[in-house]
Amino acid sequence: MNSLNTFFIRTYGCQMNELDSEIMASQLEQRGLVESENENDADLIIFNTCSIRDLAERKLFGKLGIISRKKKKKIIGIAGCTVMAKKEKILDKFENVNFIIGTNNLTDLNNVLDEIEEKNIRLSKTDTKYEKKLETYFAKRKNNIKASVSITRGCNNFCTYCVVPYTRGREYSRSFETIIDECNYLKDQGIKEIMLLGQNVDSYGTDNHKMNKYFHDLLYEIDKINGIERIRFMTSHPKDITTDLMYAIKDCKKVCNFVHFPLQAGSNRILKKMNRGYTLEEYLEKVNKLREIIPNVSIGTDIIVGFPTETDDEFMQTYKAFEQIDFDLAFIFEYSPRKNTAAYKLYKDDISIEVKDQRMKKLMNFYNCNIKDKLKKFIGTTQEVLVENLNKDKNFLKGRNKRYEKVIFKGNKSLIGTIQNVNIKETKHQTLIGEISFS
Ligand code: 5AD
Ligand code: SF4
C-alpha cells in the first residue's frame, strides 16, 4: 500500500541542509513519489530545519503551528538540526507532526515512511552517530551546473556559542575514494562546479590519519577531473588552514580563489571566550599569507556581535579589524544563546538587543559602502564567468567570477553552463554588470 504520491521539502539554513534535502528527495523519488511545486499540493511535507540562531527556530515553530492546524490529512515530517536539538519535544508540541528524522538518519527515510503507513504510528529517529551509508549516497541535484559534495560531517571544535557539534555530532571525514567517485559521477551528469562542504574543511582527514589524505590532497585530485570547471569549498577554520592548502589553491587551475575564513571577533579576550583557538594577530598572519600566496584572493568572513560581556571597546576592536582586513564578503550576526552550548551554560546573554543592533548596523554600514567601492574597481576589467542561469529579469544571464562576485550580462540561455569572458561596464548593489567580450 502506498498512499503517498507527492512530496515537498522546505529547506532552512545552510548549504549542508540543502544537500541533506537533496539526499532525502532522491530517496522519495526511488519510492515513486513526485516532487510538488508547492507545499499545499503535496501528500508529504518535510521541513528540513536549522537551529543555528533563535530566529530560525522561531520561524519554523510559527510555520508548524499554522500548518498543523491547516493540513490535517497530510504526512508532516521534521528533519535537520532543530530535530537534534529538541528531539521528542517536537512530537509532543505539534500533534500533526508524524515523524522526526535526525541529521544522521537521512537514509532511514523510506523505512520510517513504511512504518508510519503500515502501523499508523508516529516515529522519531535521531541517532547521534554519523551514518556511514551516506558515504556512497548520491543526492537528487536541484541545480544542473553546480553541486555540493560533503567531505566531512559534524564538528569537533566546540566554539562556545555554536550548536552544530550537538546537532550534527562529532567530525567524520568521508573516504577519499567515495568523494572522488562522487565528483566523477557529477561530472558525467554535466555538473561544472563542485562545492566541497564541511563545517571545517581544513581538518579533512585529521580524524583518521591512517587514511593519510588531507584537504589539499583532495583539491589536487579533483582538479584532475576533466569536465569539472570549478572547485569551491567551505568553511575554512583560521586555526587549521595550512600552507599546503594555500599552495594547493594557488596551483590547482580549477580551484577558486575565494576563502570563507570566519574571524567571528577582533578582541582576543572574546575570541578566547568563544574558544576559537587563535588570536587576532595569528588570524592576521594567515590573511597576509593567503594574500601573499594566492593571486587576487577573495576573503569572506562571519562576525558575531554582542557575545556575552563584549564591551564597546572590544566591539571597536572587531570593527577596526574588519576595516583593516577589508573583507570581500561578510555575514554579520547578533549573538543568540543556544541551548546545550557552553556559552549558554556559562554566560548570561547580557548585551541588550539595542546594543547588538547598533553594533550590527555599524559594521553593516561600513561593509555596504566598502563593497560598493571595491566593486567599482572591477569596471573596465574582464571577468571569467561561469554562467549559472537566467537572471530574475530574464533578459540577462547570471553567473560568478572565480572570486565569487556575481556578474550579470545580456546573452542567450544556450550559454548556461559555459565560461564566458565578460567586460565589466557598471555595478549595481553587489552585482557587476557587463557585456560578453568577443575579442
Ligand atoms: N549566535 C549568533 N551567530 C552564530 N553563529 C553560529 N552560532 C551562532 C550563535 N549562537 C554564526 C557564526 C558561524 C555562522 C555559520 O553562524 O558566525 O560562523
Ligand atoms: Fe560551529 Fe565552530 Fe564548528 Fe563552525 S567550527 S560549526 S562555528 S563549532
Side-chain angles (χ1 to χ4, degrees):
M1 198 257 307
N2 191 350
S3 60
L4 298 173
N5 295 315
T6 53
F7 73 93
F8 183 86
I9 304 178
R10 185 168 291 288
T11 309
Y12 299 85
C14 64
Q15 278 161 308
M16 199 71 90
N17 263 15
E18 298 278 351
L19 178 58
D20 285 354
S21 290
E22 292 180 345
I23 291 173
M24 289 191 283
S26 88
Q27 292 169 84
L28 295 172
E29 290 201 341
Q30 275 164 24
R31 191 184 180 83
L33 273 70
V34 176
E35 190 162 7
S36 286
E37 295 272 306
N38 70 67
E39 67 190 38
N40 295 328
D41 306 335
D43 301 330
L44 165 67
I45 306 171
I46 299 178
F47 294 93
N48 192 9
T49 61
C50 168
S51 62
I52 197 98
R53 283 168 292 275
D54 184 45
L55 185 66
E57 237 175 55
R58 272 189 283 136
K59 272 194 201 155
L60 168 78
F61 289 141
K63 177 94 185 159
L64 275 182
I66 298 167
I67 219 141
S68 53
R69 279 193 297 278
K70 273 210 279 189
K71 313 234 160 34
K72 290 238 156 32
K73 293 188 301 294
K74 311 212 169 179
I75 297 241
I76 300 175
I78 315 287
C81 290
T82 307
V83 162
M84 300 305 281
K86 296 266 186 299
K87 301 220 165 161
E88 276 74 17
K89 277 192 201 136
I90 296 183
L91 289 180
D92 294 342
K93 194 164 171 192
F94 299 100
E95 56 184 41
N96 284 1
V97 170
N98 302 80
F99 68 95
I100 60 172
I101 190 161
T103 47
N104 292 319
N105 296 86
L106 295 176
T107 57
D108 287 335
L109 180 58
N110 278 336
N111 296 335
V112 167
L113 289 172
D114 284 343
E115 270 197 71
I116 288 178
E117 291 201 289
E118 274 163 29
K119 302 182 190 155
N120 200 18
I121 51 171
R122 299 171 82 208
L123 261 185
S124 151
K125 283 237 157 137
T126 54
D127 294 348
T128 46
K129 231 173 141 217
Y130 174 75
E131 186 193 11
K132 290 232 161 71
K133 276 182 279 171
L134 280 172
E135 287 266 300
T136 49
Y137 217 93
F138 294 142
K140 183 203 169 196
R141 310 294 174 166
K142 278 233 147 97
N143 188 308
N144 42 27
I145 308 296
K146 306 191 289 185
S148 299
V149 172
S150 117
I151 65 163
T152 66
R153 291 182 77 94
C155 184
N156 287 347
N157 286 312
F158 291 92
C159 300
T160 56
Y161 52 79
C162 184
V163 79
V164 168
Y166 307 94
T167 60
R168 289 192 170 268
R170 292 303 89 77
E171 182 177 279
Y172 176 88
S173 297
R174 273 181 70 181
S175 78
F176 194 79
E177 291 72 25
T178 61
I179 296 171
I180 301 301
D181 282 354
E182 190 168 338
C183 292
N184 272 304
Y185 167 84
L186 290 167
K187 178 260 305 183
D188 292 341
Q189 304 292 305
I191 291 290
K192 302 289 181 219
E193 181 175 302
I194 300 273
M195 166 66 93
L196 300 171
L197 282 186
Q199 305 299 338
N200 176 3
V201 287
D202 305 338
S203 65
Y204 174 78
T206 56
D207 56 320
N208 178 8
H209 287 288
K210 267 198 251 144
M211 194 162 69
N212 200 20
K213 297 280 187 199
Y214 299 97
F215 186 49
H216 58 272
D217 297 315
L218 259 182
L219 292 184
Y220 283 112
E221 197 62 28
I222 301 171
D223 198 55
K224 292 184 201 152
I225 300 178
N226 275 333
I228 298 289
E229 303 283 356
R230 282 186 177 176
I231 304 161
R232 295 189 187 277
F233 55 90
M234 73 174 214
T235 296
S236 277
H237 196 301
K239 78 176 165 52
D240 292 319
I241 199 162
T242 61
T243 313
D244 282 343
L245 174 57
M246 297 185 199
Y247 279 107
I249 301 170
K250 172 183 181 247
D251 294 342
C252 296
K253 276 213 317 275
K254 298 169 185 171
V255 174
C256 294
N257 47 347
F258 170 71
V259 182
H260 193 62
F261 201 57
L263 169 64
Q264 310 293 5
S267 138
N268 286 336
R269 190 185 73 90
I270 296 293
L271 283 171
K272 192 152 187 225
K273 271 178 110 69
M274 288 178 162
N275 190 32
R276 287 293 290 172
Y278 53 84
T279 61
L280 175 64
E281 292 70 27
E282 285 161 347
Y283 181 91
L284 292 173
E285 213 174 283
K286 300 241 167 123
V287 166
N288 287 340
K289 217 168 186 182
L290 277 166
R291 288 183 169 152
E292 223 175 82
I293 295 175
I294 308 165
N296 195 22
V297 67
S298 170
I299 299 181
T301 190
D302 295 340
I303 300 282
I304 299 178
V305 297
F307 187 80
T309 73
E310 182 188 64
T311 62
D312 283 341
D313 190 48
E314 285 165 338
F315 165 70
M316 282 312 292
Q317 291 173 34
T318 301
Y319 185 87
K320 285 196 183 118
F322 191 83
E323 220 175 22
Q324 178 193 347
I325 296 161
D326 189 23
F327 290 108
D328 300 284
L329 182 70
F331 298 98
I332 303 163
F333 307 105
E334 294 182 359
Y335 171 71
S336 160
R338 310 309 297 139
K339 258 200 190 129
N340 298 323
T341 62
Y344 176 85
K345 290 180 189 155
L346 298 173
Y347 315 127
K348 197 166 152 243
D349 180 22
D350 60 350
I351 310 297
S352 69
I353 292 176
E354 292 73 28
V355 171
K356 284 180 185 168
D357 284 352
Q358 277 166 17
R359 290 178 184 173
M360 167 107 153
K361 250 191 216 139
K362 192 169 165 75
L363 275 176
M364 284 304 298
N365 282 344
F366 169 78
Y367 175 64
N368 288 333
C369 293
N370 193 43
I371 283 290
K372 262 191 209 153
D373 290 347
K374 279 167 85 84
L375 285 188
K376 291 228 163 72
K377 295 190 185 136
F378 285 86
I379 295 174
T381 65
T382 302
Q383 298 295 311
E384 232 180 57
V385 178
L386 171 62
V387 187
E388 293 173 16
N389 213 334
L390 292 170
N391 197 39
K392 275 191 297 273
D393 53 20
K394 307 287 183 214
N395 286 326
F396 282 79
L397 294 169
K398 68 173 175 186
R400 289 189 185 265
N401 63 4
K402 267 182 100 175
R403 283 168 43 95
Y404 203 58
E405 275 90 15
K406 182 178 167 188
V407 183
I408 65 170
F409 58 97
K410 280 212 169 112
N412 190 287
K413 69 176 182 197
S414 62
L415 297 180
I416 293 172
T418 65
I419 292 196
Q420 297 294 324
N421 285 324
V422 178
N423 296 331
I424 304 304
K425 303 285 179 193
E426 55 184 314
T427 67
K428 194 172 175 193
H429 307 299
Q430 296 196 4
T431 302
L432 301 172
I433 306 173
E435 289 168 5
I436 290 189
S437 158
F438 292 105
S439 56

